Amino acid sequence: IPTVVGALLTLTDAQHGSFLRGTTITPLVIAVAAGAMLQWHTRSRQRRGAEPLLPLDLFRHHEFSHAIFAGLLSYLVLFGMLFITPFEMERTLGWRPDSTGLLLTVLPVCIAISTPFAGRVADAKGTRLPTAIGMALATAGFAIVAATPASVASVAVALAMVGFGSGMFTPANNAAIMTSAPAARASVAGGVLNMTRAFGTALGVAVTSLAYSVAGAGATGYRVATGCLAALAVLAAVAVLAADQHALPTGDESESATLHGGGFA
């Protein structure tokens, strides 16, 4: 918790001035120190044979760690888009809040439409194809609003593409996360996934708010913020494509290796 809070405070305070100010550096130092202490504590418990709250051996398998990282970025770009779009619609295009809220429903509707299709593709072709396609669609949506003048049509198309992309990406990536973790670590993997969702949501608000304010707000701030989201969506796609897809040991061999810290070597 101190690491997450420190990171978010750093991004929030950076909106109001330089990163080198004391009020910005202090939470950053706390975040780094807390993360280092957590890692030391976890490794110390593992050496004593105790079961840690977050077993670090879970991240030795590249498919799991890459999928978790990509999932974090996917929630960041999704909720970043939902957070920043009302500023563009109301301040630049002069829309009322209720009309803006109605337009935002395009995104979840498209998620609902594409999610079942993503599941069928993942079952037939594996998780890598729908996750890559999903982030490619989201990237294209962000690129549209980042590179074109503000208009209702461009924002609506971008929301639809981000929605379709997220609907393609999320189910397949969640499946990749859970299937890459052995049965003995299933509950931990599920907890890490939920933590990633919550942190990604908060991080999306912090990152887009920072980009929007630093760029001067208005239409320019919106284009800069969505450009940053496009870059992060590309990074998520790269993380998925770069993941190893090796089969894990099965049965008693997998569970035994994992419980003794030898899994995912």
Side-chain angles (χ1 to χ4, degrees), residues 6-262:
L8 294 176
L9 284 176
T10 299
L11 291 172
T12 300
D13 194 69
Q15 298 177 35
H16 308 292
S18 169
F19 273 102
L20 300 179
R21 295 185 307 156
T23 53
T24 304
I25 292 295
T26 300
L28 178 61
V29 171
I30 292 174
V32 173
M37 290 178 63
L38 175 62
Q39 186 177 35
W40 173 82
H41 177 70
T42 300
R43 292 186 182 278
S44 176
R45 285 181 60 85
Q46 283 185 313
R47 283 195 297 268
R48 295 197 303 268
E51 186 70 15
L53 179 63
L54 178 61
L56 297 179
D57 62 282
L58 187 60
F59 295 92
R60 292 180 188 170
H61 182 44
H62 287 177
E63 185 179 0
F64 179 85
S65 57
H66 282 230
I68 281 290
F69 179 64
L72 174 70
L73 294 179
S74 74
Y75 291 117
L76 189 161
V77 300
L78 171 62
F79 287 96
M81 183 65 170
L82 286 172
F83 171 75
I84 201 67
T85 297
F87 291 94
E88 176 73 355
M89 299 305 299
E90 295 174 26
R91 295 186 179 184
T92 303
L93 300 180
W95 276 42
R96 299 184 318 189
D98 55 346
S99 300
T100 299
L102 185 62
L103 180 65
L104 289 177
T105 60
V106 169
L107 194 152
V109 166
C110 290
I111 290 178
I113 293 172
S114 61
T115 295
F117 176 70
R120 288 193 292 270
V121 173
D123 289 340
K125 304 292 185 181
T127 60
R128 182 174 286 186
L129 179 63
T131 50
I133 291 175
M135 279 299 102
L137 284 172
T139 301
F142 293 127
I144 287 174
V145 288
T148 60
S151 70
V152 176
S154 64
V155 173
V157 170
L159 287 170
M161 295 183 73
V162 173
F164 277 119
S166 296
M168 288 288 293
F169 178 90
T170 303
N173 192 64
N174 288 354
I177 291 171
M178 296 307 298
T179 56
S180 63
R185 296 292 195 221
S187 59
V188 177
V192 173
L193 174 59
N194 282 325
M195 180 187 69
T196 300
R197 182 183 299 114
F199 185 40
T201 301
L203 202 57
V205 174
V207 168
T208 52
S209 179
L210 175 61
Y212 184 75
S213 61
V214 168
T220 300
Y222 183 69
R223 286 196 294 270
V224 170
T226 50
C228 291
L229 295 178
L232 292 172
V234 170
L235 183 58
V238 170
V240 169
L241 293 174
D244 293 335
Q245 299 287 325
H246 302 305
L248 289 172
T250 57
D252 295 337
E253 178 186 353
S254 172
E255 186 167 337
S256 175
T258 304
L259 288 176
H260 288 85

